[in-house]
Amino acid sequence: MNKEDRIFIAGHGGLVGSALVRCLESRGYTNLVTRTRAQLDLSSQKAVDRFFGDETIDIVFLAAAKVGGIHANLTYPADFIYQNIIIQANVIHAAYKAGIRSLLFLGSSCIYPKLCPQPMAEEALLSGYLEPTNAPYAIAKIAGINMCESYNRQYGTRYRAVMPTNLYGPNDNFDLQNAHVLPAMIRKFHLAKLAMKRDFAAIKKDEEVFGPIPEDIWAALKGAAPAVRLWGTGAARREFLHVDDMADACVHVMSLSDQRYRQACKTAPEVQNPGIHGVSHLNVGCGKEVTIHQLSEIIKDVVNYQGEVVWDTARPDGTPRKLLDIARLTRTGWHYRVELPQGIGRLYNWYLQRG
């Protein structure tokens, strides 16, 4: 990567995309190209082809995606598989046709099998059945990985892929119907804290900023003893990475020489499930995990919520455990910086400033 490169960040307004903008600008990359959804519909092949035909782009970071938590994946499976496949197919193919040889595709740790050996190594891809609650999203991301690998093999491009663990940070989605577990918990604890003070004016303001509050949560907030209700048993284990660390890892991976990247992806001959030239992607995480119950305790302390927490065990936990093996990436010299309690505190402060 050179400072004068024109870098297109697809999805710059989202969680990862906005972090990439911050990271690149802080390192002196000022020749960034961005488009809002209104300016460029990435699901339109014609619009994407026109964009790449009109613009001179050197590098693409493909961070645009439809994302969400368990509820969203269960409710909109067709949207998750269609929108993600069409966006990544349009961008990757148009980048190839425009002669762009450098692209980074961002996937998700849900690509790995539900009962994958832990920590999950890159070689485990396609070695078992997926978690049913997010299989459409996972299949779309697997297709994106394979698409990058296939274009590299057939056309000699340098398309790379990274698979992040669960991410959180500024510009996260706090919609209680569609958010991932960490931001949803922050908002639930905050709303319950306001309800205990009977500050319904502040709750209404929060609703105006971060989206509607479902009727069942409203009912709980208005009750005599407001409580936070969380899905599942709390036993599932998850790994969380601050999005600023993710952006740093993305720039690091794209800054690796071809030789170092190939070395990082190289697989020993005795490994059973590698790609043709080794693994096709690199995991990005912190190498640490917490139970969802432990996560709730951290968030409860950060928010300073003093009320009750109720676990709805009739709701699904999702994959029992998701911890990434990040040995390949760390051998290239990258390490995360933001610890979970610190990162949650930073995100809660960001949330309060906008609420």
Side-chain angles (χ1 to χ4, degrees), residues 18-252:
S18 60
L20 280 167
V21 171
R22 293 193 302 272
C23 181
L24 289 166
E25 288 181 341
S26 71
R27 297 184 180 198
Y29 294 91
T30 57
N31 208 1
L32 306 183
V33 180
T34 61
R35 293 291 186 275
T36 64
R37 188 175 301 178
Q39 294 171 324
L40 175 59
D41 179 5
L42 295 176
S43 67
S44 167
Q45 185 181 52
K46 181 181 292 186
V48 174
D49 285 346
R50 185 185 306 115
F51 167 78
F52 279 100
D54 292 342
E55 295 286 340
T56 300
I57 305 293
D58 299 299
I59 297 172
V60 175
F61 285 89
L62 181 43
K66 180 175 178 59
V67 299
I70 291 179
H71 181 272
N73 276 270
L74 287 171
T75 307
Y76 311 111
D79 291 349
F80 273 86
I81 193 167
Y82 172 77
Q83 292 185 29
N84 284 295
I85 284 179
I86 201 71
I87 287 170
Q88 63 205 31
N90 286 343
V91 173
I92 292 170
H93 190 62
Y96 153 69
K97 290 194 295 183
I100 299 167
R101 300 194 68 196
S102 296
L103 177 147
L104 185 70
F105 173 73
L106 282 81
S108 166
S109 59
C110 71
I111 62 171
Y112 293 114
K114 176 178 181 177
L115 301 178
C116 188
Q118 303 290 319
M120 300 182 291
E122 288 88 349
E123 291 88 348
L125 182 65
L126 297 176
S127 63
Y129 291 106
L130 298 169
E131 160 60 43
T133 57
N134 56 24
Y137 178 68
I139 289 169
K141 288 300 182 181
I142 292 169
I145 297 170
N146 194 266
M147 192 172 182
C148 290
E149 182 183 28
S150 298
Y151 276 59
N152 291 342
R153 287 167 50 200
Q154 185 170 341
Y155 300 123
T157 51
R158 299 188 182 98
Y159 294 171
R160 301 176 179 181
V162 288
M163 296 301 113
T165 188
N166 299 283
L167 302 174
Y168 69 99
N171 293 313
D172 219 328
N173 176 18
F174 290 89
D175 186 309
L176 291 173
Q177 295 282 16
N178 301 314
H180 285 110
V181 60
L182 193 154
M185 274 194 191
I186 287 179
R187 190 175 179 198
K188 285 182 178 181
F189 278 109
H190 178 70
L191 292 173
K193 177 183 174 181
L194 295 177
M196 291 182 70
K197 299 176 182 178
R198 316 313 287 173
D199 191 350
F200 293 106
I203 292 176
K204 289 298 293 183
K205 181 182 177 183
D206 179 277
E207 189 172 37
E208 293 171 1
V209 175
F210 294 108
I213 300 171
E215 290 184 7
D216 60 328
I217 295 180
W218 255 120
L221 294 174
K222 293 177 180 178
V228 171
R229 287 170 169 77
L230 302 176
W231 277 32
T233 65
R237 306 180 72 87
R238 294 291 182 269
E239 176 186 17
F240 295 94
L241 184 72
H242 194 278
V243 73
D244 287 345
D245 280 332
M246 179 61 199
D248 181 69
C250 289
V251 176
H252 172 83

